[in-house]
Amino acid sequence: MMKNSPAPAQKYTDPAGGFEYLVLTVRPGQSIADARRELTEHAEYGKWELRTTRLYFGGVRRYWMRRRVMRVASTLDVYSS
């Protein structure tokens, strides 16, 4: 694995709050432009919004993104024949 490869995103669901969260971790060696590009792609195509940004000692950055959980009721009549 390459040193500058992005860390995998972790996904969490908060059933009580009605949101699901995506946590992106950016290592110190990864460029900010790459991190910004990844955040933008998640926001545009996955409908995520940036919730919190943290900068830790050592240069690790974490971005928490969230989106509403959409509950969809089925419109198909399964039992009709």
Side-chain angles (χ1 to χ4, degrees):
M1 183 172 250
M2 294 176 55
K3 182 179 179 182
N4 291 336
S5 64
Q10 299 173 346
K11 196 172 178 181
Y12 303 101
T13 303
D14 178 18
F19 287 99
E20 56 184 341
Y21 294 90
L22 183 71
V23 180
L24 299 170
T25 302
V26 179
R27 296 185 180 109
Q30 188 179 359
S31 72
I32 297 299
D34 289 341
R36 184 179 300 129
R37 190 176 309 114
E38 189 174 349
L39 288 168
T40 302
E41 287 179 10
H42 281 292
E44 284 186 25
Y45 301 116
K47 306 295 186 206
W48 294 94
E49 64 181 23
L50 184 62
R51 173 76 172 123
T52 307
T53 301
R54 296 271 191 239
L55 175 61
Y56 294 98
F57 287 111
V60 174
R61 295 174 186 266
R62 281 219 175 100
Y63 301 97
W64 279 266
M65 301 182 81
R66 73 176 186 176
R67 68 179 173 190
R68 284 212 178 270
V69 175
M70 296 183 64
R71 304 213 191 318
V72 180
S74 176
T75 58
L76 300 175
D77 191 12
V78 179
Y79 298 106
S80 69
S81 295

